[in-house]
Amino acid sequence: MTDKRPHEFIADADFARRRAEAREKLDALDPAKQGRGFDDPLRRDWFKTVYALAEGDAAKVPWGNLSAHPLLAQWLEAPPHLEGLRALDIGSGLGDNAAALAGQGADVTAFDLVPAAVDWAKQRFPTLDFRAADLFAAPPDWARAFDFVNEIYTLQALPAEILPRARQAIAGFVKPGGLLLVISRARDEDQTLDGPPWPLCRADLMAFEDCGLRLERLDDIPPGVLASRHWLALFRKL
C-alpha cells in the first residue's frame, strides 16, 4: 500500500509525504499486512482506526483522493441515464463517488461502516444522504430498493472467505432490472494474492451471476491511467 498510484489526489509534495507516512503506519497496524490471523475478518476495527488516525487530513486516508474514482468518472461521461434513479454508493468514504453520481441526477444514498467517515462526507457534501451502516447488517428497507448500486474497492478489501457473503449482500440491494457497477483491481485466476487489497479474478466477478445478476459488460483495463490492472463490470438484476 505504499505505491503512488497516478489516480490518487496528490495536491503537492507535502500531501504525498503525509500519505506515504500514513500508509506505513496503517500497514504496521493491519493484521493482514503483518501476517497475523483475522480476529476481525471484516476488518471493521482497522477501517475505524484509519479515520481515527487521520484527524481530518485526507492525505492520511489511503482512498481519500478528494475526487471520484477515474473509472467511475469516465463511465459517467457516456451518460448512463441516472437522472431520477435511486442509487446506492457502498463504502462511501469521503463522499466523492456519491457526489459524482448525484451530479448525474441520481437520488443518492451513500453509506460507510465508519461514522467518522460519514460525518466527514456530510461536511464536504451537506446536501447528500450519507449514513453509517454495515454492509452485512444494512437497513431492511434497502433490500431490492435501488435502481443503481455502485461498488468500488469494497470487495477487494475483504478476505476471500468473506466474498460470497459480501456478493450476496451487494446483490440484494439491486431491484429487478437495476444495475450494479463494480470497479476493482484485477488479477489472473492463478495469480498469488498478496494483500490487502486483494485484487479480484474474473471468477470473483462472474460469481455475481449466482446472486441473480447477469453480466452486461466487463472491461479488463491494463495499467495506464491507473498504475495497476483493473476491472470495470456492469451487471443487471434479473
Side-chain angles (χ1 to χ4, degrees):
M1 294 177 65
T2 58
D3 58 307
K4 308 296 192 299
R5 290 183 286 277
H7 68 275
E8 290 182 332
F9 180 92
I10 305 297
D12 52 35
D14 185 58
F15 187 100
R17 176 190 59 78
R18 299 197 312 274
R19 170 148 293 180
E21 291 176 353
R23 285 177 181 274
E24 185 175 354
K25 291 179 182 178
L26 290 169
D27 283 354
L29 295 172
D30 191 343
K33 283 287 188 182
Q34 301 306 314
R36 302 196 298 272
F38 277 108
D39 295 330
D40 179 27
L42 301 181
R43 308 185 71 216
R44 293 184 174 99
D45 290 342
W46 186 80
F47 284 115
K48 292 175 182 177
T49 298
V50 170
Y51 288 98
L53 295 181
E55 298 180 327
D57 183 0
K60 297 179 181 180
V61 179
W63 46 88
N65 300 322
L66 302 180
S67 59
H69 191 285
L71 295 182
L72 174 64
Q74 186 180 59
W75 187 75
L76 290 172
E77 287 176 359
H81 307 296
L82 298 184
E83 184 73 36
L85 298 186
R86 190 179 184 197
L88 181 69
D89 184 46
I90 296 172
S92 50
L94 302 187
D96 295 280
N97 292 329
L101 298 177
Q104 292 293 321
D107 177 12
V108 180
T109 298
F111 77 94
D112 200 282
L113 172 70
V114 184
V118 174
D119 291 342
W120 196 338
K122 285 180 176 178
Q123 292 174 9
R124 298 187 64 220
F125 304 103
T127 63
L128 298 187
D129 181 15
F130 291 100
R131 306 187 194 184
D134 189 325
L135 173 64
F136 301 103
D141 61 352
W142 288 4
R144 298 163 62 90
F146 295 93
D147 303 289
F148 179 81
V149 174
N150 184 52
E151 151 40 19
I152 298 179
Y153 288 178
T154 304
L155 291 170
Q156 69 176 40
L158 299 173
E161 59 268 25
I162 305 296
L163 291 184
R165 186 179 167 198
R167 281 190 294 263
Q168 287 287 352
I170 291 169
F173 297 132
V174 189
K175 67 168 51 175
L179 293 173
L180 166 66
L181 182 69
V182 179
I183 294 173
S184 78
R185 293 173 180 83
R187 67 176 176 89
D188 292 329
E189 304 287 341
D190 58 354
Q191 184 178 341
T192 301
L193 290 173
D194 182 19
W198 294 278
L200 303 183
C201 66
R202 191 176 190 277
D204 292 327
L205 294 172
M206 295 307 298
F208 271 110
E209 293 199 329
D210 297 327
C211 304
L213 295 121
R214 181 185 67 244
L215 181 68
E216 292 203 340
R217 170 179 172 180
L218 180 59
D219 295 351
D220 187 345
I221 304 166
V225 175
L226 303 175
S228 60
R229 178 184 172 200
H230 275 64
W231 300 114
L232 184 149
L234 187 66
F235 296 88
R236 188 174 296 276
K237 189 70 168 285
L238 301 176

